[in-house]
Amino acid sequence: MEDQQPDSDDPQAAGKKEGQDMENDSNDIQVEPGPGAAALKCTDLLGIEYLDVEDINLILDTAEQFKEISQRPIKKVPALRGKTVINIFFEPSTRTRTSFEIAAKRLSADAQSISASTSSLVKGETLVDTALNLEAMFPDLIVMRHSYPGAAHLLARICKARVINAGDGAHEHPTQALLDALTIRDHKGKFEGLRVAIVGDIAHSRVARSNIQCLTKLGAEVVVAAPPTFLPLNVESLGVEAHSQLEPAIEGADVVMALRIQLERGGRLSFPSQREYFNLFGLTKERLSLTAKDSIVMHPGPMNRGVEIASDVADGPTSVILDQVTNGLAVRMAVLYLLAGSSKDVETAA
Amino acid sequence: MRVKATIMEAAQMDRTLTRISHEIIERNGGTENLVLIGIRTRGVPLARAIAAKIAEFEGVEIPTGSVDITLYRDDLSQISPNPVVQKTDLPFDLHDQTAVLVDDVLYTGRTVRSALDALTDFGRPLAIQLAVLIDRGHRELPIRADFVGKNVPTSSDEVVEVRLESIDGENLVVLCEMPDGTGQEASEGVKEES
């Protein structure tokens, strides 16, 4: 891994990049990165949709190196010294918000978190006004979760700060898909030829949407299983195999990913009872015996134990659920680092 | 880049590393509490080569690690895009050890400054020493090497290129000339040519 970029510290490449960036200070002209440059082809992380395999691998490889920082006696590097990161969460979140906050702090950025209940949004301020006010304080990066799909896109258009989508409604949650990919790569070493089963509320899940795109781009075979009410129409158009029963989907699967039943996003209306859901789609030891040898079980959290996953599976030897959380930190550090190094041009202030 | 002159050939590089290895043992009165840390990229195989020589002379395996200084660069906010982060691997406790940093070329001293900061985040070594294959002058910081393979006077529009078997397929040190007008400002990169 460490020898993939033997020339990464080539000063000529870095020097050249600097010159070029000054000449064409526009983000639609993409300069081919030299061997020493780590460039994402985007200045905001709005969704997996906008990343290609090269971008995804760059984020995963960078995250791999960042893992070690959290093991040090002094868990901090000066890379983003003087940068300001604002986390603005219009939906409840523990894991993602804390993860972004700690990631920013481990890179020495100044991180400020705002949640909807303490923001002026409850006083009726529009998202655009909130964004312009945040922008007036010169943040370098804004991490946002919002219940409306496309909210992060709107923010990215009007803000000079780089925007990271931490979940926009049922649309995308790119850092979750990236941390899931890193966890799968850690345990399986590859994506080609892997069969990944995603089980649960596919229709309302931004995690499913981002994961399906990320894993199919990386070459894995993705299968989804859900009650028909949880399956979007034409889900096959996303390049996945769909089943309305659990067993055919997890049979021979190398990775089984359970999704949370999202009671707040209409999940309650789509199936008769939580017990019935568990009886038909809950991940149990017995059902998981259908999977491939050495298969792993994942869950993006927060878990509803006894609904989408049995407790003994969640805590069992095949579960990598806590690895996902640890990897989330490394992936978010990587994304912050890579985006902080990009230069962004904003065409119009909305 | 045009190659102007050969500074060292493989046999000479080997003899130089042999001498540096002896000097490290001599200066430290043996190998006790000694660790070697290569600065990425080309300091790492050099540190391993020195460790192999010390193992040969003294019969002792010196713990050897690597440090990537990318996240400690003093010009991170000026360069875009950000450079690729490589692995830092220090599989030992630095506390009360004498750490010998190893790099291929000492130039502005900024890489070494970054490496010193990185090591401090891992513990408090008894002492840190610096071994380099080539010292080409033009320091911008008050840093000097404890062990030098060869001092090479250069001008700032020249580049010293160290090629190593494990990375470049050959052991060779050459002096190159940058094409017209692209002479690299000494202060432009933290990392000297490696």
Side-chain angles (χ1 to χ4, degrees):
Chain A
M1 169 121 330
E2 63 259 43
D3 291 323
Q4 274 178 4
Q5 310 269 3
D7 291 320
S8 69
D9 43 13
D10 178 3
Q12 281 77 47
K16 247 181 269 161
K17 294 302 303 169
E18 197 176 354
Q20 282 164 343
D21 278 348
M22 275 185 277
E23 276 162 39
N24 45 45
D25 197 17
S26 159
N27 59 351
D28 52 27
I29 301 172
Q30 278 305 327
V31 182
E32 188 62 20
L40 290 177
K41 288 178 223 57
C42 50
T43 51
D44 304 284
L45 180 64
L46 302 177
I48 298 293
E49 187 186 342
Y50 311 103
L51 301 179
D52 61 21
V53 175
E54 217 172 60
D55 292 328
I56 295 171
N57 282 325
L58 174 63
I59 295 171
L60 299 186
D61 291 343
T62 306
E64 188 62 39
Q65 313 303 349
F66 278 132
K67 281 182 185 174
E68 163 266 323
I69 293 168
S70 297
Q71 312 288 331
R72 297 182 185 182
I74 296 174
K75 297 187 272 290
K76 205 178 185 74
V77 294
L80 297 191
R81 209 154 40 107
K83 303 274 186 202
T84 304
V85 179
I86 294 182
N87 290 315
I88 180 156
F89 279 70
F90 294 104
E91 277 190 333
S93 163
T94 312
R95 225 170 319 269
T96 308
R97 202 185 70 184
T98 312
S99 183
F100 267 113
E101 213 171 299
I102 294 178
K105 287 177 176 172
R106 294 225 165 130
L107 292 170
S108 297
D110 299 303
Q112 176 66 51
S113 289
I114 306 164
S115 55
S117 54
T118 59
S119 79
S120 291
L121 205 85
V122 291
K123 298 180 192 164
E125 189 176 65
T126 65
L127 179 59
V128 170
D129 281 336
T130 306
L132 292 175
N133 278 278
L134 292 178
E135 183 78 348
M137 290 181 259
F138 307 111
D140 298 281
L141 293 134
I142 299 176
V143 179
M144 185 173 74
R145 169 168 292 182
H146 200 283
S147 53
Y148 287 161
H153 297 65
L154 172 70
L155 206 64
R157 269 204 307 279
I158 59 179
C159 289
K160 233 179 143 50
R162 271 68 99 201
V163 174
I164 299 172
N165 180 4
D168 57 337
H171 180 224
E172 280 231 41
H173 188 358
T175 56
Q176 178 71 43
L178 292 163
L179 74 89
D180 287 338
L182 184 62
T183 309
I184 293 172
R185 197 175 78 169
D186 283 354
H187 287 271
K188 298 290 167 196
K190 54 160 191 177
F191 295 98
E192 282 85 14
L194 282 189
R195 184 175 163 94
V196 182
I198 305 179
V199 181
D201 188 354
I202 310 293
H204 299 99
S205 173
R206 55 192 172 213
V207 176
R209 215 168 308 277
S210 289
N211 257 312
I212 288 170
Q213 294 186 74
C214 188
L215 292 167
T216 50
K217 282 181 183 187
L218 290 168
E221 177 198 352
V222 181
V223 199
V224 299
T229 46
F230 278 159
L231 279 176
L233 285 175
N234 294 321
V235 63
E236 292 86 355
S237 65
L238 295 172
V240 300
E241 183 187 318
H243 293 278
S244 54
Q245 280 181 319
L246 180 68
E247 287 76 6
I250 64 171
E251 196 169 351
D254 301 285
V255 178
V256 181
M257 194 184 289
L259 297 174
R260 186 171 65 89
I261 297 305
Q262 304 191 78
L263 302 170
E264 78 279 13
R265 253 187 265 282
R268 199 185 295 280
L269 304 172
S270 307
F271 58 97
S273 75
Q274 296 192 5
R275 179 178 293 192
E276 181 170 326
Y277 184 82
F278 181 73
N279 286 339
L280 293 172
F281 287 93
L283 298 184
T284 60
K285 257 186 183 163
E286 193 188 16
R287 292 206 176 105
L288 288 169
S289 64
L290 291 169
T291 61
K293 201 171 162 285
D294 300 325
S295 66
I296 54 171
V297 177
M298 305 174 74
H299 192 297
M303 275 185 284
N304 298 311
R305 288 172 183 259
V307 182
E308 63 262 1
I309 189 165
S311 260
D312 60 347
V313 171
D315 305 327
T318 59
S319 163
V320 297
I321 295 170
L322 295 176
D323 295 358
Q324 290 174 266
V325 180
T326 305
N327 281 344
L329 199 51
V331 158
R332 286 168 184 128
M333 286 169 78
V335 168
L336 290 170
Y337 171 76
L338 293 169
L339 288 181
S342 66
S343 48
K344 178 176 173 180
D345 239 18
V346 180
E347 290 154 27
T348 49
Chain B
M1 258 191 314
R2 193 175 66 85
V3 174
K4 278 168 91 174
T6 299
I7 297 172
M8 270 191 202
E9 284 178 346
Q12 199 185 347
M13 284 169 77
D14 188 63
R15 282 194 289 272
T16 302
L17 288 173
T18 303
R19 173 174 55 78
I20 290 177
S21 305
H22 281 298
E23 283 177 359
I24 290 172
I25 308 165
E26 186 190 14
R27 169 83 60 93
N28 293 291
T31 56
E32 208 178 326
N33 296 334
L34 203 62
V35 299
L36 292 168
I37 299 169
I39 299 178
R40 293 225 175 256
T41 304
R42 285 173 181 72
V44 178
L46 288 174
R48 284 199 206 109
I50 292 173
K53 287 192 180 291
I54 293 178
E56 192 185 312
F57 309 143
E58 299 282 312
V60 180
E61 297 282 342
I62 307 274
T64 305
S66 60
V67 64
D68 176 59
I69 58 101
T70 307
L71 300 169
Y72 293 85
R73 293 173 69 122
D74 58 6
D75 58 350
L76 263 187
S77 57
Q78 291 153 39
I79 50 177
S80 177
N82 276 343
V84 171
V85 181
Q86 298 181 79
K87 199 174 209 70
T88 291
D89 184 22
L90 296 174
F92 40 76
D93 189 358
L94 272 182
H95 188 71
D96 278 346
Q97 304 288 305
T98 296
V100 181
L101 273 173
V102 182
D103 205 1
D104 54 351
V105 180
L106 179 58
Y107 183 25
T108 61
R110 286 172 193 268
T111 299
V112 174
R113 201 278 312 161
S114 307
L116 292 174
D117 273 4
L119 290 197
T120 313
D121 283 356
F122 284 88
R124 185 174 188 275
L126 195 63
I128 301 177
Q129 298 170 354
L130 174 63
V132 296
L133 190 61
I134 304 291
D135 182 347
R136 58 167 293 193
H138 302 281
R139 214 76 77 239
E140 293 171 359
L141 295 171
I143 278 169
R144 63 163 180 80
D146 300 89
F147 312 101
V148 179
K150 189 172 187 176
N151 285 293
V152 181
T154 58
S155 75
S156 54
D157 55 7
E158 290 168 331
V159 172
V160 176
E161 211 178 278
V162 173
R163 299 180 193 157
L164 298 175
E165 183 75 50
S166 61
I167 297 170
D168 315 288
E170 60 175 344
N171 284 324
L172 189 68
V173 183
V174 289
L175 185 67
C176 303
E177 191 174 37
M178 304 282 289
D180 292 345
T182 56
Q184 167 202 18
E185 287 289 315
S187 59
E188 209 169 77
V190 164
K191 194 70 176 158
E192 291 93 63
E193 44 286 325
S194 42

